[in-house]
Amino acid sequence: MTSHVLHHFPISRARFANAPAEPGGTKAKATEDMAANSHREAIYSVLQYLDRHNLGEAARTLERESGLFFCLPYFEECFIHGAFDEAEEYFNGFTTVHDNMYSTNVVFVLRWHKFLEAVDENNRDEAHTILHEELSTFLLYNPNLIERGTEIMNLENFRTYEGLQEYGEPVMARTSEMMDVRRCLEANPLLSGKIRYRIPNANGGRGPANLVLPPPPLPAVMPVLPPPLPAAPAASPAGSEPLPLIVLRCGPGYFMLVPRGFI
């Protein structure tokens, strides 16, 4: 919650020369922080109640609309089992596609796998729509994306395309991809302190955790999204050939704003 700025007007120094300074700003901020913490704790208590009583839909709606807690198990389940629209709708309660590079990569992966699923099911009309209406927003970062997607879409077996030979059963492929997506989620500053993890509950079962675990430490200086590419492709560091892809640094590793295996 954004704190209020207190404006202090000039007063007589002689009258208050020996008077201690009133820490009004500190008190106001402390009061506001206490109110914010109380609100957060109240929301979390409600979420715990909803989860305990199997009211998951209500819990996820409250998380999304409050923007205070992000249920990682729910997002993982949506992505792995192909509920891409539900996953993106939930994610949009916390951040949007161009907020930072972590958000951009997560939304890209969701839409890219949605595209691959349509191709895999031989639904060319849907794949064409996804490619030109949902993936086109990423042309700022990969100008070859539509061209490559069209090539994939027109193949009889898209798994013969370079970089997709290891794309096997869709659920297994998305389970593998989720490892990188999770790292982007945990490194995203807009989700800092909000992620709820799955841990064993008191009865030995599994459910959303009763704790909010912090993400790994963020780098001291956050990288920013690159500007739109010029018409001519950028040269590689060695100057030998152009780089067809833009590489975005993400925490301790590197994530590409391109389909896995396209480098």
Side-chain angles (χ1 to χ4, degrees):
M1 182 179 296
T2 304
S3 61
H4 298 289
V5 179
L6 299 180
H7 299 279
H8 299 277
F9 294 92
I11 57 177
S12 171
R13 292 187 179 181
R15 182 178 179 183
F16 297 100
N18 299 320
E22 178 67 20
T26 303
K27 287 183 177 180
K29 188 177 186 307
T31 301
E32 188 171 334
D33 288 344
M34 289 178 62
N37 289 335
S38 297
H39 176 70
R40 179 182 172 91
E41 291 172 2
I43 294 293
Y44 196 69
S45 296
V46 173
L47 289 174
Q48 289 179 306
Y49 174 86
L50 293 173
D51 282 328
R52 283 197 303 267
H53 291 81
N54 297 318
L55 299 172
E57 183 177 354
R60 306 295 80 81
T61 299
L62 179 57
E63 289 165 345
R64 184 185 70 246
E65 293 186 354
S66 69
L68 292 175
F69 299 99
F70 183 92
C71 184
L72 181 61
Y74 171 74
F75 183 86
E76 288 179 332
E77 182 178 351
C78 286
F79 172 62
I80 290 172
H81 295 286
F84 305 110
D85 291 338
E86 289 84 346
E88 185 169 347
E89 180 184 11
Y90 183 74
F91 188 65
N92 284 341
F94 305 86
T95 177
T96 56
V97 60
H98 296 301
D99 279 345
N100 57 52
M101 68 176 190
Y102 308 110
S103 300
T104 303
N105 272 279
V106 169
V107 176
F108 173 79
V109 170
L110 288 173
R111 296 181 184 181
W112 177 252
H113 279 271
K114 181 180 178 181
F115 167 73
L116 288 183
E117 182 176 84
V119 174
D120 194 29
E121 294 176 350
N122 203 30
N123 191 337
R124 299 307 169 93
D125 290 339
E126 181 179 353
H128 182 275
T129 299
I130 296 169
L131 181 62
H132 289 274
E133 295 184 5
E134 299 187 30
L135 288 170
S136 59
T137 189
F138 303 105
L139 287 173
L140 291 173
Y141 317 114
N142 181 352
N144 301 320
L145 187 59
I146 299 298
E147 178 183 351
R148 291 190 173 207
T150 301
E151 292 173 355
I152 292 169
M153 189 170 56
N154 291 332
L155 289 174
E156 183 177 350
N157 179 7
F158 76 92
R159 288 175 175 83
T160 62
Y161 195 84
E162 182 181 1
L164 292 176
Q165 294 94 337
E166 296 183 4
Y167 183 91
E169 196 275 327
V171 171
M172 294 301 296
R174 293 193 290 263
T175 300
S176 176
E177 186 81 14
M178 188 62 219
M179 297 177 64
D180 286 346
V181 172
R182 176 168 174 164
R183 293 175 66 188
C184 268
L185 294 171
E186 291 175 330
N188 194 325
L190 297 177
L191 294 178
S192 178
K194 299 180 180 181
I195 298 178
R196 303 177 71 197
Y197 294 84
R198 188 188 298 277
I199 62 173
N201 60 31
N203 296 322
R206 297 183 66 83
N210 290 326
L211 299 173
V212 177
L213 305 179
L218 295 172
V221 179
M222 290 291 296
V224 298
L225 286 171
L229 293 177
S236 65
S240 57
E241 59 183 9
L243 284 175
L245 313 175
I246 292 298
V247 180
L248 302 181
R249 185 169 185 170
C250 180
Y254 291 87
F255 295 90
M256 313 298 175
L257 191 66
V258 294
R260 178 193 291 265
F262 271 51
I263 57 173

